[in-house]
Amino acid sequence: MKAVTWQGKRDVRVAEVPDPKIQEPTDAVIRVTSSGLCGSDLHLYEVLTPFMTPGDILGHEPMGIVEEVGPEVPNLRPGDRVVVPFQIACGHCYMCDTGLPTQCETTQVTGEGMGAALFGYTRLYGAVPGGQAEYLRVPHAHYGPIKVPEGPPDDRFVYLSDVLPTAWQAVAYAGVPQGGTVAVLGLGPIGDMACRVAQAKGAGRVFGVDLVPERLRRARERGVETYDLRAFDSEKELVAAIQDETGGRGPDAVIDAVGTEAHGGAIAKLVQQGAAIMPRKLSGPLAERFSVDRLAALYTAIDLVRRGGTISLVGVYGGMADPMPMLTMFDKQIQLRMGQANVRRWSDDILTYLTDEDPLGVQDFATHRVPLTDAPHAYEMFQKKQDGAVKVLMKP
């Protein structure tokens, strides 16, 4: 089959790889019909290269048709249409039972000290072959895949794999009161959808911050009060402008949907770039143990949120020794919640919004739809924010 493979920094290629097969009784194999390109994929493309191996199959936002199931998958049969969550979880361990499948005790990558295995995402999360491919082996298919009805286009449901539950959890963790205020930093796919979810769930005012014109326009057209980062000389000016709209206090909650892709200090950027070109034995420990993150967005969130407010951190960070302004966080009594989205915890609630009325605007959410063979160009276009690319779907 054809699959998108990682070959090096900013180097992805479509290659012929062996077809996946049933390996365990709880496996399924699906024929992929759509697969998203995620901002997290760009971390592998650019920042987290020390944890990748040439030939790794990328992608963690797939949906498709079940081709084959193992004998211990009673709830699926060939021909079923399913969305596959980006995490792999068993559904019956303590963590899964408590609504935290991203911490599944059956699939935790204990050798790396990490949580549940993920599709298409570095050795830290199991190096499991991903879904930017013609076919995908799905472990623990008795629990993970979400069955969806025939009829509507893939665009109606494909975002259940990652974008929708990630944005939904970001809003849930933010704890925005009914009629309250929330600021979303970063209006890429997750931030954009988080704005839509917050509006649908009763936020009174939603402020969105970015510096890409297309992203700002999309959010503004849906009623978000947008702020172009380029219009401010400093972060303090941006903070003051939004605080002026909230009685001088700041919003009730801030969602950081930027993460390590944030614009920030030159030293941190140098460490990121240096780790990517060092020998693997040195680059991995450097990237894991030292401050490879650029924390501008998180610092902005801390300054911006009102006293006693909540920061919901959904952008991916990778450093383990990052300096945090603990004095300010303690003094402002900030609540901080974060983590990978627990897809199956939220999926049933989200499905009720995926109706013909399309309140979340999923059916026109993608800006680009490309064949799988165009993946190298799609990655470059998305990484460079060219041609108005906000969300790319690939069709095998």
Side-chain angles (χ1 to χ4, degrees):
M1 70 170 183
K2 290 183 173 61
V4 180
T5 63
W6 185 92
Q7 300 297 335
K9 183 176 181 178
R10 300 180 195 157
D11 183 3
V12 300
R13 306 175 197 173
V14 178
E16 289 287 339
V17 302
D19 290 349
K21 297 179 180 179
I22 298 290
Q23 298 178 20
E24 301 291 341
T26 55
D27 285 353
V29 172
I30 72 164
R31 174 175 56 83
V32 178
T33 56
S34 291
S35 191
L37 175 54
C38 179
S40 295
D41 292 323
L42 296 185
H43 297 147
L44 314 183
Y45 190 69
E46 178 77 24
V47 178
L48 299 180
T49 56
F51 308 115
M52 299 294 291
T53 301
D56 284 349
I57 299 175
L58 300 172
H60 58 271
E61 298 186 350
M63 69 173 292
I65 306 299
V66 175
E67 292 281 304
E68 185 180 2
V69 297
E72 295 182 17
V73 186
N75 53 322
L76 295 180
R77 62 182 181 180
D80 283 344
R81 189 185 192 196
V82 297
V83 179
V84 180
F86 69 90
Q87 74 243 194
I88 302 167
C90 71
H92 57 72
C93 69
Y94 172 82
M95 288 296 177
C96 289
D97 285 344
T98 56
L100 294 171
T102 55
Q103 310 303 326
C104 174
E105 292 176 326
T106 302
T107 72
Q108 279 180 12
V109 186
T110 54
E112 299 288 349
M114 305 299 280
L118 309 179
F119 287 104
Y121 212 79
T122 84
R123 65 171 174 81
L124 296 178
Y125 289 99
V128 180
Q132 291 171 5
E134 293 181 305
Y135 294 90
L136 175 69
R137 171 182 166 253
V138 182
H140 296 284
H142 61 287
Y143 173 68
I146 304 162
K147 287 200 286 189
V148 296
E150 296 294 334
D154 280 7
D155 292 47
R156 174 82 65 89
F157 302 113
V158 67
Y159 305 115
L160 278 168
S161 58
D162 184 352
V163 173
L164 279 166
T166 298
W168 191 278
Q169 179 172 295
V171 174
Y173 279 11
V176 186
Q178 286 292 303
T181 54
V182 59
V184 179
L185 306 182
L187 297 174
I190 301 302
D192 186 341
M193 187 57 72
C195 291
R196 302 180 187 202
V197 171
Q199 291 170 324
K201 292 178 70 64
R205 298 177 73 181
V206 179
F207 308 101
V209 180
D210 207 293
L211 46 68
V212 180
E214 174 64 18
R215 295 178 175 184
L216 291 161
R217 180 190 63 77
R218 278 166 57 100
R220 190 163 50 246
E221 288 176 351
R222 296 189 66 91
V224 177
E225 300 175 48
T226 57
Y227 291 78
D228 187 338
L229 194 59
R230 298 169 301 172
F232 298 91
D233 291 332
S234 69
E235 171 263 349
K236 291 187 181 300
E237 287 188 8
L238 169 69
V239 168
I242 298 177
Q243 286 178 338
D244 284 346
E245 295 294 320
T246 55
R249 289 184 297 271
D252 298 307
V254 177
I255 296 172
D256 173 3
V258 179
T260 196
E261 289 295 313
H263 296 270
I267 294 176
K269 182 177 181 180
L270 183 63
V271 173
Q272 285 182 342
Q273 295 176 338
I277 62 175
M278 292 174 67
R280 292 177 62 84
K281 288 184 178 180
L282 298 177
S283 60
L286 177 68
E288 283 186 87
R289 301 303 306 178
F290 293 95
S291 301
V292 300
D293 290 328
R294 288 175 278 171
L295 300 176
L298 181 54
Y299 290 158
T300 299
I302 292 167
D303 288 343
L304 178 58
V305 71
R306 69 163 171 83
R307 290 179 177 273
T310 301
I311 295 173
S312 177
L313 200 157
V314 66
V316 175
Y317 287 95
M320 293 179 67
D322 296 307
M324 294 289 289
M326 294 302 298
L327 175 62
T328 301
M329 295 169 67
F330 184 84
D331 179 65
K332 291 186 70 173
Q333 203 165 333
I334 290 171
Q335 300 177 75
L336 180 61
R337 300 196 70 184
M338 68 188 81
Q340 303 277 10
N342 298 286
V343 176
R344 291 311 306 266
R345 177 176 179 179
W346 312 111
S347 56
D348 289 347
D349 292 337
I350 297 168
L351 274 168
T352 64
Y353 285 77
L354 304 184
T355 62
D356 289 341
E357 289 74 25
D358 194 18
L360 299 178
V362 294
Q363 290 188 194
D364 62 357
F365 191 69
T367 55
H368 294 72
R369 297 168 181 82
V370 302
L372 190 71
T373 50
D374 283 357
H377 171 67
Y379 269 81
E380 181 179 14
M381 174 181 64
F382 189 36
Q383 196 262 345
K384 294 181 177 179
K385 300 178 176 64
Q386 296 173 336
D387 194 29
V390 177
K391 187 61 184 179
V392 180
L393 293 181
M394 300 181 191
K395 302 282 187 178

